[in-house]
Amino acid sequence: THWSTDDRRLSSFIARLDGGVVVSNSLHQMMAILKCSDRRGKSMSELDEYRFFRQRYPRTSVNETALVVITDAAIRRWCGPQWRITAARRTRARATIAEVTMQHADELVRGTLETSRQISSPANAPDAGVMTVSSQGVVSAKYGTLAFQTPIAELDLRYATKGEVAMYERWRTSYERRWRRNFDPIAIQLSVDDHRMKADVSVIPLILQSQYRTYTQWVGAAQIPEGADDPHPESVASFSMALDMNSGWMPLIRGVISGGSNVDLFAWVNDSIHVYFDRDDEWAKRIAEQSPWEAEPAMWVAGSPVGVFIPSKNNLLMTAFVVAVRARLEQAAPNMIRWENATHKDFQYVVGTFVRGSWLGPPDGLPQIYYVTTSEGFTLSPSPRVIERAIERHMVASDHGEKVDGNSAADANPEIDESESKMPFRPQVALQTTGQGVAVMARSNHRATLSRMNRIAWSNLPILNYFRFQYPDRDPNEVYEKLFGEQLVEPTGGSYVWDDQRDTYVSTLHGYHLEPKAGPVIADVLHPRDEISAGLSFQEGGLRALVEIEQHHEE
């Protein structure tokens, strides 16, 4: 069954099969599925990668809402000359349709077009096809409309120009520098219920030259040991990463710190590093009082409630490591940091104060760095309160008579959630945060991010102002949607309103270029109590990642 309009604003094909229903907006896509159903075409279920993914994500899984599989054949097709060149032509045709639409904007907005008529393509777009303008808008017989472009699979390109071939080969050469031999089949298992959303992603094999290469050089074959982190209720965000002491830059760093000694000063590290961000009302108040337009990263660093925890499996070597690092700092930059001992609840820790003139941050007050060594590991922070809480957790663990061999005090602290990891695999990189933590991290580079978000929010203002001037009796948002088939959206969830005093449209959250507002840098889609967990593992030559969002919206 098929319903459609001439411009395909409505285009729906529905077919009933044994055990299922197929819905598509493309007859080409529908016929491909029907051929597989009748065994006249090769089905995805026959492919090795699909079988592999179905073993990892069984169909019988009660948590599966949907499974998306992108096969090697699909990626090869999308990267092939026919698909890429057709996509480029369709993009140019869309620009042409938009140009012609603006040329006939008055007729389209005021509805003065009584009959449709053909129009010739501009000289600079000979491949735009035959175009027709009617009361519904501009339609290209070949490429569709601004609201619905003809699917690439239906265009069936056979010939290309020399210029298109040259551009494609240049793009392909760049692409093949990263994919030397293999493509990356991808599977995404989605699970959605009333309070939880989860995406489990597998990519096999992993691209050889990619943004993940930095991580693979550090984690190597190591995994985050169970119980090696430092969980605590004050943390709003935490990041953990496995460390392979024999891969990446580690041998070089080891050599620099050891100063030629044969002693392995990294042998104490329990194969991981953990960074967490604590809730700290005093620091948050200080940051809130700062102007977002003047805040420098250095102002965030001083006193920020960030802790770096490295678990220990050999406390004697950990002590040697700390002594060696202090010695190397004094040797490389003498008299730059003054070290002193401090005490919290009869437990000693170390305070390092930057000497005046050695700090690039604000001149008022000298920043300090703090660290403490316990039987669990080494903790470093620019905040004394973070160090003091780490000491208190250590004391709780000691009072409960725990075996202190690098494991955390989570079991000894009744305030810490004892639930097992939600990860179906052992992660090498892990993130735990809340909606509040996301907001805090978004502000960590607030000045640059805010400037970028301002520009995005303001980018819609000129066309809104133009349409208000050109069609004063119409809503500019409705005019834009009628002409271009899409709505203008304020990127962080605000709206665009007319300001009579300033004679311009403004963003309710970001203002406009002459009077910018410090609006949010991300859309307000997370409740502060929402929990986000993510894990990443490089396994079997590929990648597996899981992201889960658990909602805790207040009633």
Side-chain angles (χ1 to χ4, degrees):
T1 306
H2 172 221
W3 295 271
S4 70
T5 57
D6 291 340
D7 59 4
R8 291 181 76 169
R9 286 176 183 265
L10 171 63
S11 179
S12 182
F13 296 85
I14 300 178
R16 184 179 63 187
L17 305 176
D18 292 338
V21 174
V22 182
V23 181
S24 177
N25 61 5
S26 167
L27 179 60
H28 182 278
Q29 179 68 33
M30 175 64 75
M31 295 307 298
I33 295 174
L34 294 180
K35 286 180 180 179
C36 291
S37 175
D38 295 340
R39 300 189 182 281
R40 291 181 289 124
K42 189 174 182 179
S43 171
M44 185 188 297
S45 62
E46 301 176 35
L47 301 178
D48 291 340
E49 57 258 48
Y50 179 81
R51 291 170 179 167
F52 172 85
F53 289 136
R54 263 308 174 198
Q55 288 178 348
R56 174 168 290 183
Y57 307 118
R59 187 184 294 274
T60 55
S61 173
V62 295
N63 297 321
E64 181 175 291
T65 302
L67 179 70
V68 179
V69 177
I70 303 175
T71 65
D72 177 271
I75 299 174
R76 289 181 184 277
R77 187 182 184 194
W78 295 341
C79 295
Q82 186 179 44
W83 194 278
R84 296 288 303 184
I85 294 174
T86 302
R89 286 191 183 183
R90 195 176 67 161
T91 300
R92 293 195 299 271
R94 178 179 175 82
T96 300
I97 296 171
E99 182 180 341
V100 173
T101 296
M102 285 303 298
Q103 292 172 358
H104 296 82
D106 288 348
E107 298 172 286
L108 293 171
V109 173
R110 303 193 185 283
T112 57
L113 279 170
E114 297 181 356
T115 59
S116 61
R117 63 177 186 270
Q118 284 191 3
I119 51 180
S120 57
S121 299
N124 61 347
D127 60 346
V130 177
M131 288 189 289
T132 303
V133 59
S134 69
S135 59
Q136 299 300 314
V138 178
V139 181
S140 166
K142 186 174 184 180
Y143 293 102
T145 67
L146 295 176
F148 186 93
Q149 290 187 277
T150 304
I152 293 175
E154 297 179 15
L155 291 173
D156 195 27
L157 174 70
R158 297 292 180 181
Y159 300 96
T161 66
K162 290 182 178 180
E164 289 172 328
V165 171
M167 285 189 291
Y168 171 76
E169 290 180 344
R170 189 158 54 245
W171 173 86
R172 184 184 63 190
T173 299
S174 174
Y175 190 92
E176 289 178 340
R177 288 196 187 103
R178 295 173 291 168
W179 272 269
R180 302 285 176 82
R181 293 186 305 164
N182 302 313
F183 289 89
D184 291 4
I186 301 169
I188 308 172
Q189 184 188 54
L190 301 174
S191 303
V192 182
D193 58 31
D194 293 340
H195 301 287
R196 184 178 290 104
M197 296 176 288
K198 182 168 67 174
D200 192 339
V201 182
S202 293
V203 184
I204 296 183
L206 187 66
I207 183 174
L208 294 179
Q209 306 286 341
S210 74
Q211 60 183 328
Y212 302 110
R213 187 175 184 181
T214 301
Y215 288 114
T216 58
Q217 288 180 335
W218 287 103
V219 304
Q223 293 181 329
I224 300 175
E226 293 185 6
D229 57 349
D230 184 14
H232 48 281
E234 299 88 1
S235 175
V236 297
S238 64
F239 172 83
S240 301
M241 185 173 72
L243 288 178
D244 188 333
M245 296 294 111
N246 297 311
S247 67
W249 292 93
M250 298 308 296
L252 177 61
I253 297 174
R254 182 190 296 113
V256 171
I257 294 178
S258 64
S261 170
N262 293 326
V263 178
D264 183 0
L265 295 178
F266 280 166
W268 64 276
V269 177
N270 194 9
D271 296 336
S272 59
I273 184 171
H274 310 268
V275 181
Y276 54 84
F277 195 101
D278 281 356
R279 187 168 35 250
D280 190 315
D281 295 336
E282 182 178 329
W283 177 84
K285 180 180 178 181
R286 177 171 65 84
I287 293 300
E289 293 172 350
Q290 297 176 357
S291 168
W293 310 107
E294 299 175 358
E296 298 288 345
M299 301 174 69
W300 286 75
V301 173
S304 61
V306 175
V308 178
F309 174 69
I310 305 176
S312 170
K313 59 185 179 182
N314 187 315
N315 294 332
L316 182 61
L317 285 177
M318 176 177 65
T319 303
F321 168 83
V322 174
V323 171
V325 170
R326 287 267 299 266
R328 295 295 289 176
L329 284 175
E330 287 296 329
Q331 181 181 2
N335 305 317
M336 298 297 284
I337 302 179
R338 184 176 66 253
W339 300 100
E340 299 174 319
N341 289 338
T343 304
H344 177 68
K345 294 187 176 181
D346 297 327
F347 199 97
Q348 283 195 340
Y349 62 95
V350 178
V351 183
T353 304
F354 285 80
V355 177
R356 189 171 299 278
S358 64
W359 172 246
L360 298 179
D364 52 329
L366 294 173
Q368 295 176 314
I369 192 75
Y370 306 82
Y371 75 81
V372 63
T373 56
T374 65
S375 50
E376 290 84 25
F378 175 84
T379 303
L380 177 75
S381 175
S383 168
R385 291 178 292 278
V386 170
I387 297 298
E388 291 170 0
R389 286 191 291 267
I391 292 173
E392 292 168 4
R393 290 193 295 275
H394 164 73
M395 297 176 71
V396 169
S398 299
D399 290 343
H400 282 72
E402 273 198 348
K403 181 182 178 181
V404 283
D405 58 355
N407 294 326
S408 75
D411 295 335
N413 191 338
E415 297 183 80
I416 297 177
D417 185 7
E418 297 180 359
S419 61
E420 295 182 357
S421 172
K422 300 177 182 179
M423 296 291 165
F425 57 91
R426 290 282 298 279
Q428 294 178 291
V429 180
L431 172 70
Q432 300 282 338
T433 186
T434 62
Q436 180 187 8
V438 171
V440 171
M441 289 186 288
R443 292 197 63 183
S444 62
N445 192 22
H446 193 236
R447 185 175 179 180
T449 310
L450 178 59
S451 298
R452 177 176 178 272
M453 196 54 62
N454 280 160
R455 291 194 300 270
I456 295 174
W458 299 338
S459 64
N460 292 328
L461 300 181
I463 191 65
L464 289 172
N465 289 336
Y466 172 78
F467 283 152
R468 180 181 173 86
F469 171 79
Q470 194 73 7
Y471 311 109
D473 57 332
R474 308 296 175 92
D475 182 345
N477 288 283
E478 295 178 359
V479 171
Y480 187 91
E481 185 174 4
K482 178 176 179 58
L483 293 177
F484 297 103
E486 59 186 14
Q487 295 179 339
L488 291 175
V489 177
E490 209 279 351
T492 55
S495 58
Y496 294 111
V497 297
W498 178 257
D499 190 314
D500 286 318
Q501 182 178 358
R502 294 163 179 78
D503 200 30
T504 180
Y505 268 91
V506 298
S507 162
T508 55
L509 297 179
H510 291 274
Y512 75 120
H513 65 286
L514 294 182
E515 293 184 19
K517 291 183 179 180
V521 296
I522 57 174
D524 186 17
V525 296
L526 292 172
H527 188 275
R529 295 177 58 241
D530 287 351
E531 297 180 9
I532 301 98
S533 58
L536 180 68
S537 177
F538 305 96
Q539 51 184 249
E540 301 179 30
L543 173 149
R544 187 174 182 185
L546 184 141
V547 178
E548 182 172 348
I549 301 176
E550 188 169 353
Q551 297 176 318
H552 294 280
H553 291 185
E554 297 176 349
E555 298 295 336

